[in-house]
């Protein structure tokens, strides 16, 4: 199989640089290529057996090699965005706050390598792409700052209920860093009594979920340094329904909504004259259907008002 690797890499590059998807977001580009492979399986099988392709490779092996190279290509495309986010993720104010509230030992370079390794799994890669989008589109910078200034429901949930006493100026930085742990909700642990378990699989079993959380904390401490639970839990809990888990933090509720907004955010979308702004429209729709997705309706209500006031 190794002798076909360069040729397969060239084949994947041709798919990746196809003009029809040249300007497509990375996650959608990967999905479209995978869809193309499924829809054209018969034609690809015939083509791959030709002497100028992979004549000595059976179809299953060819697909595995193709997926491997597509994953590498996607990783390379994501690397600049991840580097930019990670380089700014551990803000000195956030580090200082957690060092005085239970300890903080995250090493930036190890954190980057850990995320890159995790993103080799398709499910985790999809989750990280959504998480990175919300940060890159500056959704936290916009809405955390506005909510802290308003001193209303979201402020009370983040500051008073969560008891996060970090300077309000840096609340966005805290939320962004916490959000980078959100995808690990789907990470299956590889050793110990919770081997092959993820928080996603045991969320409704409190005792097992606690054991998995401890296993995850131990893994992170080995791989990237000590991560305070006050930083880790909001990211992980942002995957939970606020209806089924009413005790999750305000930070978790905020992260959940902004990541999901990031999934559908289009920075190139132009607002029609007289129409609602894109964010206001999204929050408006989702505040009406919040129960269907486990969102906190009061958060959505305030975010809707903020988007309207700011023209977002």
């Amino acid at each position: 199989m190794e002798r076909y690797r360069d040729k397969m890499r060239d084949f994947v590059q041709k798919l990746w640089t196809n003009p029809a998807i040249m300007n497509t977001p990375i996650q959608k580009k990967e999905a479209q290529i995978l869809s193309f492979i499924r829809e054209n399986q018969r034609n690809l099988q015939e083509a791959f057996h030709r002497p100028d392709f992979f004549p000595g490779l059976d179809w299953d092996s060819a697909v595995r090699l193709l997926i491997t190279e597509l994953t590498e290509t996607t990783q390379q495309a994501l690397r600049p965005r991840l580097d930019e986010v990670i380089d700014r993720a551990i803000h000195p104010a956030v580090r200082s706050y957690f060092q005085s509230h239970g300890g903080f030992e995250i090493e930036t370079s190890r954190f980057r390598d850990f995320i890159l390794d995790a993103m080799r799994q398709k499910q985790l890669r999809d989750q990280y792409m959504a998480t990175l989008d919300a940060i890159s589109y500056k959704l936290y910078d916009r809405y955390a700052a506005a909510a802290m200034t308003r001193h209303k429901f979201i402020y009370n949930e983040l500051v008073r209920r969560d008891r996060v006493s970090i300077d309000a100026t840096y609340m966005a930085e805290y939320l962004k860093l916490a959000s980078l742990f959100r995808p690990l909700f789907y990470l299956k642990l590889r050793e110990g009594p919770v081997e092959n378990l993820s928080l996603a699989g045991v969320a409704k079993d409190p005792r097992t979920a606690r054991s998995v959380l401890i296993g995850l904390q131990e893994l992170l401490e080995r791989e990237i340094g000590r991560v305070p639970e006050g930083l880790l839990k909001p990211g992980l809990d942002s995957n939970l329904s606020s209806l089924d888990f009413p005790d999750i933090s305000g930070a978790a509720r905020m992260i959940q909504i902004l990541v999901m907004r990031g999934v559908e955010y289009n920075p190139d979308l132009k607002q029609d004259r007289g129409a609602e702004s894109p964010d206001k429209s999204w929050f408006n729709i989702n505040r009406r259907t919040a129960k269907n997705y486990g969102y906190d309706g009061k958060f959505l209500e305030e975010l809707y008002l903020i988007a309207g006031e700011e023209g977002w």
Side-chain angles (χ1 to χ4, degrees):
M1 185 184 295
E2 195 63 32
R3 63 194 178 101
Y4 294 117
R5 187 172 296 278
D6 289 344
K7 189 179 288 292
M8 184 63 80
R9 186 176 296 122
D10 291 341
F11 177 75
V12 169
Q13 281 299 315
K14 288 179 181 178
L15 295 177
W16 190 266
T17 56
N18 186 314
I21 60 172
M22 179 65 73
N23 296 318
T24 302
I26 295 171
Q27 63 270 37
K28 293 181 179 178
K29 182 181 290 191
E30 183 184 25
Q32 288 183 15
I33 291 173
L34 290 171
S35 178
F36 168 82
I37 294 166
R38 286 191 296 269
E39 293 170 3
N40 294 274
Q41 178 176 333
R42 183 173 297 179
N43 291 335
L44 287 173
Q45 281 179 309
E46 294 177 1
F48 281 6
H49 280 112
R50 296 204 317 246
D52 53 334
F53 274 92
F54 316 102
L57 207 57
D58 63 86
W59 173 247
D60 287 345
S61 297
V63 169
R64 283 197 296 272
L65 182 57
L66 194 159
I67 296 300
T68 297
E69 291 304 322
L70 178 59
T71 298
E72 289 297 324
T73 299
T74 305
Q75 294 278 80
Q76 290 175 15
L78 284 169
R79 181 66 187 260
R81 186 189 303 178
L82 177 63
D83 286 346
E84 181 180 2
V85 168
I86 290 294
D87 286 344
R88 299 179 181 180
I90 306 177
H91 193 281
V94 178
R95 180 187 294 275
S96 176
Y97 172 80
F98 280 104
Q99 282 176 337
S100 62
H101 288 75
F104 182 101
E105 299 172 1
I106 301 173
E107 294 184 18
T108 303
S109 60
R110 293 170 66 193
F111 194 18
R112 177 190 289 107
D113 291 343
F114 180 82
I115 292 176
L116 281 170
D117 184 62
M119 286 199 302
R120 294 186 180 283
Q121 299 178 42
K122 181 68 167 64
Q123 186 177 31
L124 290 173
R125 185 161 65 253
D126 289 344
Q127 291 292 326
Y128 266 112
M129 283 193 277
T131 298
L132 292 173
D133 279 347
I135 296 172
S136 297
Y137 295 145
K138 300 187 182 304
L139 297 180
Y140 295 99
D141 300 278
R142 288 182 179 183
Y143 290 101
M148 292 301 100
T149 300
R150 289 167 63 88
H151 279 234
K152 294 190 176 180
F153 181 75
I154 294 177
Y155 174 90
N156 287 332
E157 290 293 294
L158 294 176
V159 176
R160 295 175 181 168
R161 183 171 176 268
D162 288 2
R163 297 182 179 179
V164 177
S165 56
I166 192 170
D167 188 310
T169 307
Y170 304 111
M171 184 61 73
E173 306 304 326
Y174 157 64
L175 293 171
K176 283 186 277 188
L177 181 54
S179 76
L180 291 175
F181 297 101
R182 172 183 165 90
L184 302 184
F185 187 76
Y186 298 92
L187 178 68
K188 288 187 177 181
L189 299 180
R190 299 175 182 174
E191 58 184 48
V194 291
E195 184 179 3
N196 292 324
L197 295 180
S198 68
L199 284 169
V202 300
K204 294 185 178 181
D205 180 348
R207 180 176 296 180
T208 306
R210 184 63 190 173
S211 296
V212 173
L213 175 61
I214 291 171
L216 180 57
Q217 288 174 314
E218 292 172 349
L219 170 66
L220 290 172
E221 186 162 355
R222 289 195 303 271
E223 296 293 332
I224 70 173
R226 188 175 185 281
V227 182
E229 188 166 320
L231 186 61
L232 176 63
K233 278 280 284 176
L236 297 173
D237 287 351
S238 69
N239 295 278
L240 301 173
S241 164
S242 64
L243 301 179
D244 296 335
F245 297 87
D247 294 329
I248 61 173
S249 66
R253 297 164 195 252
M254 186 77 156
I255 291 168
Q256 178 192 45
I257 293 171
L258 294 184
V259 168
M260 297 314 296
R261 172 64 190 118
V263 169
E264 298 183 39
Y265 189 87
N266 181 356
D268 299 320
L269 181 65
K270 295 182 179 180
Q271 182 180 341
D272 294 332
R273 180 174 296 179
E276 284 190 327
S277 60
D279 278 8
K280 184 181 179 184
S281 175
W282 191 89
F283 291 130
N284 187 30
I285 293 170
N286 282 277
R287 68 178 177 158
R288 297 173 182 173
T289 59
K291 291 182 179 180
N292 297 338
Y293 300 100
Y295 300 149
D296 187 306
K298 292 182 179 180
F299 269 71
L300 284 165
E301 181 68 29
E302 185 169 348
L303 292 169
Y304 167 74
L305 293 174
I306 291 171
E309 292 167 3
E310 300 293 341
W312 295 330

